[in-house]
Amino acid sequence: MIELLHPVSVELRNYIDGLPSQCLGKKVHFHVGGNFDKFDQYKIAIIGVGENRGAQSGDDLVDISKIRKSFYALYPGNWDLKIIDLGDVLAGEKLEDTYCLLKTIIAELISNKVIPVVLGGAQDLTYALYRAYDVLDQMVNLVVIDSKIDIAKKNTSLADSFLSKIIIEEPINLFNYANLGYQTYFNSQEEMDLIDSLYFEAYRVGEIANNLSLAEPVLRDADIVSVDMNAVKSSDSGDFLNFNPNGFDGKEICGLARYSGLSDKVSVFGIFNYNNQSTGALLISQMMWYFIEGVNYRYNEYPFVNNENYLKYIVPFEDYEDLVFYKSSKSERWWIEVDSQHNVNKKLSNKAFLPCSYDDYLNATSQQLPDRWWRTFKKSFV
């Protein structure tokens, strides 16, 4: 299906030809059409999706070329991974046609261990990324960086309700959903209650902004990371059409992108709701840069292969089973063991290692159950 992608324009390639030889544009391979079977040569694949029909605002396509121009003018870090730009997924006759094509392409890439970086219009395209995992027969953890929790409300767009579609549509592969950066005044109490009842996670923008490392274990546990640029305050994103005075700043959103890249588990990274402005293009290009930087410096600690690389800590718990923590001797990151011997979901193993923080360990020594452990334990019986 890769051959169905539309290559980047000749105009863009001519622009890249005029850049200094050290720029990213001179280090990236561009797929110019036809068959493609050289997956093992590349770690990152950039894909544009101009589709915007799922948004409330209308049918206008998003111009991804502005992001590409900004990104390819940057200079790479000391990276040893290879990147390919596969071009764009053209909008289908119907929105569902775009979903189908994007889903098929993403499935092919992740099956070949290539990480797609998807640059898109409306955030409902996250649904197609999620459905790509159907062929892998695995449960999926989805992390969405967004000011809103996109559960259906009356008279809302698909981009504001795609999570409902993911939750209820079979096959149900979603194990965990986590929102990073929601703003309370944009979300009803009913939505928050539903997230809690499903044992999902949601973190206010202030929580994450005050302690960015709080997001690291959540992102380390993700398969898909989907970023809504509306989670960034307008003074940093440049989006003054949909003005939002609050949200993450440029430094924070780039930090979250780097955490996403560092996660050994993240296999798809998407950035959506680009506003067609040059200021937004520059920030997105820097987010891409930090994500790729993270991928380059992954520790390759997932899945657990050899427990000899970890220190094991057993915390006795009153009126409950012992909690078992592991600390990596390589990265000094922490995990907690979740042993669900009565697991009813056959796609899940009876024993899992859940990313956590040092604070979770300290709280456990004070007889406080880590919230992420408790939610994961309860979900295994659902």
Side-chain angles (χ1 to χ4, degrees), residues 73-317:
L74 301 178
Y75 293 89
N78 186 23
W79 303 337
D80 60 3
L81 49 75
K82 292 186 177 181
I83 306 169
I84 184 170
D85 191 324
L86 292 173
D88 293 334
V89 174
L90 297 180
E93 182 177 347
K94 299 179 180 178
L95 180 57
E96 290 73 16
D97 297 332
T98 307
Y99 288 161
C100 184
L101 180 55
L102 180 58
K103 163 192 165 181
T104 305
I105 291 168
I106 297 301
E108 188 171 0
L109 289 170
I110 60 179
S111 296
N112 285 278
K113 302 189 184 307
V114 181
I115 302 171
V117 174
V118 182
L119 308 173
Q123 201 182 17
D124 60 298
L125 296 169
T126 304
Y127 166 76
L129 307 186
Y130 164 74
R131 285 270 75 104
Y133 287 79
D134 290 350
V135 299
L136 299 182
D137 193 32
Q138 70 172 68
M139 298 303 288
V140 177
N141 291 341
L142 169 64
V143 174
V144 175
I145 300 173
D146 197 345
S147 61
K148 298 178 182 179
I149 296 171
D150 296 310
I151 297 177
K153 311 180 207 41
K154 289 183 179 180
N155 302 319
T156 57
S157 64
L158 282 170
D160 290 330
S161 61
F162 69 89
L163 180 58
S164 302
K165 192 176 179 69
I166 288 174
I167 291 173
I168 65 176
E169 185 177 274
E170 294 187 351
I172 298 174
N173 299 326
L174 184 67
F175 180 68
N176 190 48
Y177 163 85
N179 172 282
L180 300 178
Y182 80 91
Q183 297 178 35
T184 308
Y185 34 75
F186 289 148
N187 300 277
S188 70
Q189 188 57 50
E190 288 78 9
E191 290 173 293
M192 303 310 302
D193 291 342
L194 178 59
I195 291 298
D196 196 53
S197 68
L198 294 171
Y199 304 108
F200 290 160
E201 300 173 83
Y203 300 83
R204 293 176 65 174
V205 64
E207 290 181 85
I208 303 299
N210 289 334
N211 182 13
L212 206 66
S213 64
L214 182 67
E216 189 278 329
V218 181
L219 291 165
R220 196 182 345 143
D221 199 33
D223 297 288
I224 306 169
V225 177
S226 171
V227 183
D228 185 334
M229 288 304 295
N230 292 323
V232 181
K233 58 185 178 182
S234 293
S235 58
D236 284 38
S237 71
D239 187 357
F240 296 101
L241 181 63
N242 302 300
F243 184 77
N244 186 5
N246 292 307
F248 292 118
D249 62 26
K251 179 180 177 181
E252 291 158 354
I253 199 68
C254 286
L256 294 174
R258 191 175 192 276
Y259 276 146
S260 302
L262 278 171
S263 167
D264 296 315
K265 195 177 179 187
V266 169
S267 48
V268 179
F269 184 68
I271 303 175
F272 302 101
N273 280 326
Y274 166 56
N275 60 13
N276 276 331
Q277 300 300 311
S278 298
T279 48
L282 179 56
L283 178 57
I284 290 173
S285 69
Q286 292 177 2
M287 291 165 61
M288 294 167 62
W289 192 99
Y290 275 103
F291 176 76
I292 296 170
E293 170 93 344
V295 173
N296 185 73
Y297 290 110
R298 285 184 173 185
Y299 293 99
N300 297 316
E301 293 180 321
Y302 177 85
F304 276 36
V305 177
N306 188 348
N307 284 349
E308 293 179 0
N309 297 324
Y310 305 87
L311 294 174
K312 183 177 181 179
Y313 296 80
I314 300 176
V315 180
F317 226 85

Side-chain angles (χ1 to χ4, degrees), residues 329-363:
S329 57
K330 183 191 295 186
S331 66
E332 298 190 347
R333 297 185 297 185
W334 288 77
W335 284 261
I336 185 172
E337 186 177 290
V338 183
D339 193 352
S340 307
Q341 296 181 11
H342 305 290
N343 200 337
V344 297
N345 193 321
K346 295 189 172 23
K347 290 184 180 180
L348 297 172
S349 60
N350 288 335
K351 185 174 290 188
F353 297 95
L354 180 71
C356 65
S357 66
Y358 176 56
D359 285 343
D360 289 323
Y361 167 72
L362 290 180
N363 290 336

Side-chain angles (χ1 to χ4, degrees), residues 315-329:
V315 180
F317 226 85
E318 296 178 6
D319 303 324
Y320 209 75
E321 63 186 23
D322 293 345
L323 295 185
V324 181
F325 289 83
Y326 293 88
K327 178 185 177 183
S328 166
S329 57

